[in-house]
Amino acid sequence: MSTPTGHNGWATADDWAAQRDYITTLWYAQRPDENRTLKEIMQLMQEKHQFFATVRMYKARFQKWGIEKKIKAEEAVEIFRQQTARAAAGKPTVAYIRGRRIDPDRLQRYRYRAAPLISKKIMRAEKGADDEESSSSRITQVVCRTPSPSPSPDATDSAVSISPRLEEPTELRVPHECMQILHNFINGAFDSGIWQMAAEGDRAEMNGAFTWQHYVASSQGLIRHGRMKEGFSLLSLCFDQYKQQLQRPDSMFWLATYKCAMVLASQNNKLGDAFIDYASKLTSLILPPGHPFNQLWSRVVLTGMRGIKDHAGAIFESYLDMWGRHVNSRETNTTNDVQGAFVFVQLHCTGLLSFSLLETVIQGMIAGRAISKEAAEYLLQEAKFRLVLSCLARRRLKKAETVTKEIMAWLDSQQPNAYLDLRCKTAWLMFEVKDRKGAQAEALRAGHDLLKISQEVYGPTHIQTLEAMSAVESYCRKIGATAGAEQMARDFETRWRVFRDTANSLNNFPQQIDQPWYYRSIELGEKVSSVQETVNLFERCLKLTDDSP
């Protein structure tokens, strides 16, 4: 091994001792702009301090000093154990490992990417179960404490003024308290076995929320297509069915509740307020005062629709973070996992979930095989579907048609009877593309193709088919095809009576919707950029899967 040019030799033991504190500070830099790689530290030490050492020398010295950037499994388990205990006592927490403060976002990324065995250990620790492996090193390696308050710039060591405790504003307090209530409710529901992850191919336990949410969205679709009477009749049925949802909630119930309020308010603020008033009063009548849902509503009504809109993103992110922990703690490839991933995608595209959380969850689920490569390819097509809808809303017709044809090409490569729901939704896309382009003859053909596949897949009186009929009828009236519109109106009304009679006899929705991706429209506004980065994320993850041995 040659020595550095212009220097007497490599760093000696005395050199290492003299520079130990400085090198450690560089390695553990807290600010992102100061967080250097080992090679950058080596270059800085050479140029500014004439300190020469190889990578192997640095790593050997770091091992001797006991410093390490990576979070070890036992350290992560211990941090989550302490955090949970402190949260139960109402204490905020900052965590340190060997004196180095750990960024909370980094901890969450670790959790999602952890192997199932480590995830199970973390969940055991949060429940208070002791772990002999980490107990011996808790005090020396991991420290969790309350964050230090920032001192006033005018304060001195001899006279520090302590302000009286100020009451937290309602708009800040409510989302925090809602998150804590949901945290406890979700953990309790999973731990007690009320909610369970279905085995692959089994019926999902989340179909109640999906069914209810789907019919709320369909009611708005009917109203948009001019079927006001039928749309409000269906919405009334949805309000009635909320009682059943309250009595037997599944793991997506509260998300569906929040989303319903936002969907209704996006059409009319009074509709959103009416739902909040109805749902909160119904909950107080059906469930005991101490039930988590009553606790949630007692806080939500303080801020109303404005508060829901302001802190929905934080609530959704906290809710799904907890849900994801339970999913990622299992070595499964289940219906629920794919459904959950779809909900993450949907909420990010709507702007209610950060891309960092979406990326962490999706990468973790694909890498850990919680969702298979085939499922990931399907979710990519669903993301492309949303991209087309976003492009249509902004009249980017050329891109909308191009991406629609990409989805159709992928479907053509699959088995003929596979992904029937996506085939129906793609027929919707082609109908809307031709409509926006003003190609009447092509749009009419696409509309009839849509009706044909909807009836074949769902049946003549299914809500999917009825909404498709209302859309094609509305289009026929728009282009002056009166005779066709009148015939379709008569067919619609005959089928609607069957739908309504079935709902009355069952005192329930005529059809159960067991997947979140049946509905073919965007219920809340989505940004093209958010949808595009979701598409890019799946393409990137699938490429990594293809490249892996």
Side-chain angles (χ1 to χ4, degrees):
M1 179 173 61
S2 60
T3 59
T5 305
H7 190 264
N8 292 332
W10 301 100
T12 65
D14 290 340
D15 294 332
W16 283 105
Q19 297 291 347
R20 176 174 178 171
D21 290 345
Y22 183 62
I23 293 172
T24 302
T25 300
L26 291 176
W27 186 242
Y28 282 151
Q30 292 298 310
R31 286 171 49 188
D33 60 329
E34 292 180 348
N35 197 4
R36 299 175 175 87
T37 65
L38 177 55
K39 288 187 177 180
E40 289 171 338
I41 292 174
M42 290 170 63
Q43 184 176 355
L44 185 149
M45 293 300 295
Q46 288 175 16
E47 293 175 353
K48 292 192 174 183
H49 300 279
Q50 293 296 294
F51 186 94
F52 294 88
T54 64
V55 171
R56 182 176 294 181
M57 290 177 183
Y58 271 95
K59 289 185 176 180
R61 192 63 57 167
F62 284 179
Q63 185 176 11
K64 184 176 181 180
W65 292 346
I67 66 174
E68 175 59 65
K69 266 191 178 179
K70 290 182 180 179
I71 300 175
K72 297 178 182 178
E74 63 271 17
E75 294 167 346
V77 170
E78 177 59 16
I79 288 174
F80 285 112
R81 185 192 70 79
Q82 291 193 35
Q83 276 187 343
T84 303
R86 291 175 61 82
K91 298 178 181 179
T93 299
V94 290
Y96 295 82
I97 298 177
R98 292 178 291 277
R100 175 172 54 98
R101 181 169 177 166
I102 306 301
D103 179 43
D105 289 341
R106 187 181 174 202
L107 276 175
Q108 292 307 319
R109 288 194 298 272
Y110 178 93
R111 178 165 208 152
Y112 277 114
R113 292 169 181 168
L117 179 60
I118 303 304
S119 294
K120 289 176 182 177
K121 286 186 177 182
I122 290 173
M123 293 178 67
R124 278 177 48 80
E126 288 179 322
K127 295 172 190 174
D130 207 0
D131 188 341
E132 294 180 0
E133 291 182 23
S134 60
S135 59
S136 61
S137 57
R138 283 176 182 165
I139 297 177
T140 58
Q141 292 186 356
V142 173
V143 174
C144 291
R145 63 177 180 80
T146 303
S148 302
S150 300
S152 167
D154 301 326
T156 64
D157 292 340
S158 59
V160 177
S161 173
I162 301 177
S163 301
R165 184 178 182 276
L166 298 177
E167 187 66 29
E168 195 173 18
T170 300
E171 60 269 20
L172 297 179
R173 176 172 55 82
V174 165
H176 175 77
E177 292 178 352
C178 287
M179 288 180 211
Q180 190 61 51
I181 294 167
L182 287 169
H183 178 284
N184 295 334
F185 177 66
I186 292 171
N187 276 340
F190 275 112
D191 293 345
S192 64
I194 295 175
W195 295 344
Q196 295 179 347
M197 296 292 107
E200 185 174 8
D202 285 355
R203 189 175 182 83
E205 63 83 24
M206 297 185 283
N207 65 310
F210 293 148
T211 297
W212 182 76
Q213 181 179 299
H214 178 92
Y215 278 99
V216 171
S218 295
S219 73
Q220 301 307 291
L222 291 172
I223 292 170
R224 282 196 302 273
H225 298 139
R227 285 287 175 180
M228 304 290 288
K229 178 183 176 182
E230 292 83 2
F232 279 103
S233 174
L234 182 56
L235 185 59
S236 176
L237 176 62
C238 293
F239 274 46
D240 292 342
Q241 291 303 310
Y242 191 74
K243 178 178 179 180
Q244 290 190 19
Q245 296 298 306
L246 274 173
Q247 294 171 325
R248 295 189 299 277
D250 59 37
S251 61
M252 289 293 167
F253 167 75
W254 193 254
L255 283 193
T257 296
Y258 248 62
K259 193 174 176 186
C260 173
M262 296 181 71
V263 167
L264 295 176
S266 70
Q267 304 298 320
N268 187 306
N269 275 328
K270 289 183 179 179
L271 273 178
D273 290 334
F275 173 70
I276 291 175
D277 181 66
Y278 172 83
S280 60
K281 289 178 179 177
L282 182 64
T283 304
S284 67
L285 289 173
I286 292 177
L287 301 177
H291 192 281
F293 291 162
N294 269 317
Q295 295 177 24
L296 286 164
W297 278 122
S298 69
R299 287 155 175 81
V300 170
V301 295
L302 294 175
T303 59
M305 199 63 237
R306 177 186 57 80
I308 283 182
K309 290 178 179 177
D310 288 345
H311 63 250
I315 295 292
F316 285 167
E317 191 147 332
S318 175
Y319 194 106
L320 288 171
D321 174 68
M322 286 303 304
W323 184 90
R325 294 179 192 182
H326 287 273
V327 171
N328 280 0
S329 68
R330 294 162 170 81
E331 294 175 302
T332 59
N333 175 28
T334 73
T335 305
N336 293 91
D337 297 338
V338 182
Q339 289 175 335
F342 179 85
V343 173
F344 274 78
V345 167
Q346 192 179 49
L347 291 177
H348 169 65
C349 293
T350 308
L352 295 172
L353 199 72
S354 69
F355 180 71
S356 60
L357 179 57
L358 174 72
E359 182 179 39
T360 298
V361 171
I362 296 301
Q363 286 179 343
M365 294 181 88
I366 293 176
R369 291 179 172 78
I371 54 178
S372 66
K373 181 182 175 182
E374 180 185 3
E377 288 175 346
Y378 168 70
L379 289 170
L380 169 60
Q381 306 311 312
E382 284 287 350
K384 286 184 175 182
F385 170 81
R386 308 190 81 79
L387 181 59
V388 174
L389 290 176
S390 297
C391 289
L392 284 172
R394 291 155 183 81
R395 296 202 62 80
R396 299 183 185 179
L397 302 183
K398 185 176 180 179
K399 182 167 185 177
E401 188 167 17
T402 299
V403 179
T404 299
K405 290 178 179 178
E406 289 177 5
I407 301 171
M408 294 173 71
W410 182 82
L411 287 169
D412 288 342
S413 70
Q414 308 300 311
Q415 293 295 324
N417 291 326
Y419 307 109
L420 294 177
D421 54 312
L422 183 57
R423 293 179 190 275
C424 286
K425 292 197 300 184
T426 306
W428 267 102
L429 290 182
M430 191 54 71
F431 169 58
E432 295 196 19
V433 167
K434 298 303 182 183
D435 176 10
R436 304 294 175 87
K437 290 180 70 176
Q440 290 188 7
E442 293 180 27
L444 277 175
R445 280 198 299 274
H448 286 293
D449 288 343
L450 168 62
L451 293 178
K452 183 175 182 291
I453 190 173
S454 296
Q455 291 184 100
E456 289 174 351
V457 172
Y458 300 114
T461 60
H462 194 283
I463 189 62
Q464 298 282 84
T465 305
L466 291 171
E467 192 180 350
M469 291 184 72
S470 70
V472 178
E473 176 199 346
S474 177
Y475 178 72
C476 287
R477 294 190 187 282
K478 184 176 75 170
I479 65 173
T482 307
E486 291 297 333
Q487 180 60 51
M488 199 162 296
R490 288 191 290 272
D491 289 345
F492 176 90
E493 287 162 6
T494 300
R495 297 182 190 191
W496 176 260
R497 283 193 292 272
V498 174
F499 175 89
R500 188 68 210 186
D501 289 346
T502 304
N504 289 336
S505 64
L506 294 174
N507 192 27
N508 201 342
F509 298 118
Q511 302 98 18
Q512 295 298 301
I513 310 298
D514 60 1
Q515 304 296 351
W517 41 75
Y518 273 14
Y519 196 62
R520 56 93 205 157
S521 183
I522 292 176
E523 300 143 294
L524 296 168
E526 296 187 356
K527 294 181 179 178
V528 174
S529 57
S530 297
V531 186
Q532 184 65 65
E533 66 182 358
T534 304
V535 170
N536 295 344
L537 170 63
F538 276 101
E539 289 178 338
R540 193 164 60 248
C541 289
L542 284 166
K543 186 177 186 303
L544 289 174
T545 303
D546 290 338
D547 293 343
S548 62

